[in-house]
Coordinates of all heavy atoms in Angstrom, one line a residue:
Chain P
L531 N 128.8 204.6 278.1 CA 127.9 203.9 277.3 C 126.4 204.4 277.5 O 125.7 204.6 276.5 CB 128.0 202.4 277.4 CG 129.1 201.8 276.6 CD1 129.2 200.3 276.9 CD2 129.2 202.0 275.1
K532 N 126.2 204.6 278.8 CA 124.8 205.1 279.1 C 124.6 206.6 278.5 O 123.6 206.9 277.9 CB 124.7 205.1 280.6 CG 124.3 203.8 281.1 CD 123.8 203.9 282.5 CE 123.4 202.5 283.0 NZ 123.4 202.5 284.5
K533 N 125.7 207.4 278.6 CA 125.7 208.7 278.1 C 125.4 208.7 276.6 O 124.6 209.4 276.0 CB 127.0 209.4 278.3 CG 127.1 210.1 279.6 CD 128.0 211.3 279.7 CE 129.5 210.8 280.1 NZ 130.4 211.8 280.2
I534 N 126.1 207.7 275.9 CA 126.0 207.5 274.5 C 124.6 207.2 274.1 O 124.0 207.7 273.0 CB 127.0 206.5 273.9 CG1 128.4 207.0 274.0 CG2 126.6 206.1 272.4 CD1 129.4 206.1 273.7
S535 N 124.0 206.3 274.9 CA 122.7 205.9 274.6 C 121.6 207.0 274.7 O 120.8 207.2 273.9 CB 122.4 204.7 275.5 OG 121.0 204.4 275.5
R536 N 121.9 207.8 275.7 CA 120.9 208.9 275.9 C 121.2 210.0 274.7 O 120.2 210.5 274.2 CB 121.3 209.7 277.2 CG 120.6 209.0 278.4 CD 120.5 210.0 279.6 NE 121.9 210.4 279.9 CZ 122.6 209.7 280.9 NH1 122.1 208.6 281.5 NH2 123.8 210.1 281.2
Y537 N 122.4 210.1 274.3 CA 122.8 211.1 273.3 C 122.0 210.6 271.8 O 121.5 211.4 271.2 CB 124.3 211.2 273.1 CG 124.6 211.9 271.9 CD1 124.6 213.4 271.8 CD2 125.2 211.4 270.7 CE1 124.9 214.1 270.8 CE2 125.6 212.1 269.7 CZ 125.4 213.5 269.7 OH 125.8 214.1 268.6
I538 N 122.2 209.3 271.6 CA 121.5 208.8 270.5 C 120.1 208.9 270.5 O 119.4 209.3 269.5 CB 122.0 207.3 270.3 CG1 123.4 207.3 269.9 CG2 121.2 206.7 269.2 CD1 124.0 206.0 269.5
Q539 N 119.5 208.7 271.6 CA 118.0 208.8 271.7 C 117.6 210.3 271.4 O 116.7 210.6 270.7 CB 117.6 208.4 273.2 CG 116.2 208.2 273.3 CD 115.9 207.5 274.6 OE1 116.7 207.0 275.2 NE2 114.6 207.6 274.9
E540 N 118.4 211.2 272.0 CA 118.1 212.5 271.8 C 118.3 213.0 270.3 O 117.4 213.7 269.8 CB 119.0 213.4 272.7 CG 119.1 214.9 272.7 CD 120.4 215.5 273.0 OE1 121.0 214.9 274.0 OE2 120.8 216.4 272.4
Q541 N 119.3 212.6 269.7 CA 119.5 212.8 268.3 C 118.5 212.3 267.5 O 118.0 212.9 266.5 CB 120.9 212.2 267.8 CG 122.1 212.9 268.4 CD 122.4 214.2 267.7 OE1 122.8 214.2 266.5 NE2 122.3 215.3 268.3
N542 N 117.9 211.1 267.8 CA 116.9 210.5 267.0 C 115.6 211.4 267.2 O 115.0 211.6 266.1 CB 116.6 209.1 267.5 CG 117.4 208.0 266.9 OD1 117.8 208.3 265.6 ND2 117.6 206.9 267.4
E543 N 115.3 211.8 268.4 CA 114.2 212.6 268.6 C 114.2 213.9 267.8 O 113.2 214.2 267.2 CB 113.9 212.8 270.0 CG 113.4 211.7 270.9 CD 113.4 212.0 272.4 OE1 113.4 213.2 272.7 OE2 113.4 211.0 273.1
K544 N 115.3 214.5 268.0 CA 115.3 215.9 267.6 C 115.6 216.0 266.0 O 115.1 216.8 265.3 CB 116.4 216.7 268.3 CG 116.1 216.8 269.7 CD 117.1 217.9 270.3 CE 116.9 218.0 271.8 NZ 118.2 218.3 272.4

Side-chain angles (χ1 to χ4, degrees):
Chain P
L531 283 176
K532 284 195 176 157
K533 273 204 268 183
I534 289 175
S535 170
R536 277 197 299 270
Y537 173 73
I538 288 183
Q539 196 167 341
E540 176 206 321
Q541 288 281 294
N542 271 334
E543 279 174 24
K544 292 194 189 145

